[in-house]
Structures are given as structure tokens and as C-alpha cells.
Amino acid sequence: VWSIGSVSCTTSNTTNISVVNVNSISVVPNITICNGEGTNLTANANGAVSYTWTGPNGFNVTQPNTQFQNLNPTWSGVYTITAAFTNGNLTCYNTNQTNLLVKPDIQFSITPVGKLCFNQSLNLIGPSGATSYTWTGPNFSSNTQNLYIPNVSTINIGTYSLVVDLNGCK
């Protein structure tokens, strides 16, 4: 309103405001798996019209859910999901993140023993650096890194195996 003396004038204008409802994106915030395993990245946002995942090693997928197989520790890192929301005139975005940790395991082999004579010693060397060790065999079990049986006899004939655990990865 403008006034000069007793005369006043009024002017007005209108504008449209376009508002896009941008909802939060739900994800699993932390995923921990072992080397060689797989997992899924899943995202859900009410009203989203598109999704894009990005992450380590140039990872880029344009869908809300994706499946990984046979991962190794180089795939560990932060994965970001971007969801788009629109009202037809305007597109807006929201993001969320998940952290993927692919824990390493210990790759090893056991040297074959072959044949032993009665009363010889069996000595098998396990890999170093594990959290725990579990040796099993006929009439035998041990939780040491190396397997040592002095004075073997026929009760020791059979297959021996070692399970190595590195922080939960066997």
C-alpha cells in the first residue's frame, strides 16, 4: 500500500511455491562380513522415484537393492545411497550411508605328511597370526597353532584338519 496524502494505492502479486516431500532413506548402517562372503545393500524411502548407490572401487548401481558375492577386504568402505523425489515440476534428493567391513581371513595350506612309522612324531605347522586354532583328527583335538603328536601309533591313522579363526572369520 502506498499513500500520498489522502490517496492510497494497493498492488499485489502472487507466486506458486513447489514443495517436494523428501523422506528419509532407511539402510542397514553397518555391515560386517568375512572375506569371500556376500551381502546385500538395501535402501527404502517412501515416495522415492529413483536410487543410486556409490562406493569404493567405482561402485555405482542405480537401484535400491543390490547383491554382492565373493567380496574381499578391498570392497570395505562407505557406500552412499541417493534417492530422488519429485512432484513432476521439481526433483529433490536425500542421501544416507552404510559402512561395509569385509574382514580378512588367513589363507593357508598344510604340508602333507604321507607316511609315518610307529613311534615317530607327527608335527604339523599352522599359520601364524590367527585369533584361534582348532585341530581335529581321529582320537585327537587341539587348540594350538601347531599340531604335535609324539610317538604315533595306529590310533592316529586318519585325516587331520585345521580351522583357523581370525576375528570371527574362519
Side-chain angles (χ1 to χ4, degrees), residues 28-72:
V28 176
N30 294 300
I31 301 169
T32 302
I33 61 171
C34 294
N35 184 49
E37 294 180 346
T39 191
N40 295 315
L41 294 180
T42 59
N44 185 31
N46 191 25
V49 295
S50 68
Y51 296 87
T52 303
W53 281 102
T54 57
N57 302 311
F59 181 76
N60 189 313
V61 172
T62 56
Q63 59 190 24
N65 305 316
T66 187
Q67 184 178 25
F68 286 106
Q69 294 180 3
N70 197 27
L71 291 175
N72 64 57

Side-chain angles (χ1 to χ4, degrees), residues 15-99:
T15 185
N16 289 327
I17 297 177
S18 184
V19 176
V20 175
N21 192 23
V22 177
N23 293 307
S24 62
I25 308 167
S26 62
V27 298
V28 176
N30 294 300
I31 301 169
T32 302
I33 61 171
C34 294
N35 184 49
E37 294 180 346
T39 191
N40 295 315
L41 294 180
T42 59
N44 185 31
N46 191 25
V49 295
S50 68
Y51 296 87
T52 303
W53 281 102
T54 57
N57 302 311
F59 181 76
N60 189 313
V61 172
T62 56
Q63 59 190 24
N65 305 316
T66 187
Q67 184 178 25
F68 286 106
Q69 294 180 3
N70 197 27
L71 291 175
N72 64 57
T74 64
W75 287 94
S76 294
V78 175
Y79 289 78
T80 301
I81 183 72
T82 301
F85 303 85
T86 188
N87 65 3
N89 296 317
L90 178 65
T91 302
C92 299
Y93 301 91
N94 197 1
T95 63
N96 200 350
Q97 294 180 326
T98 187
N99 186 47

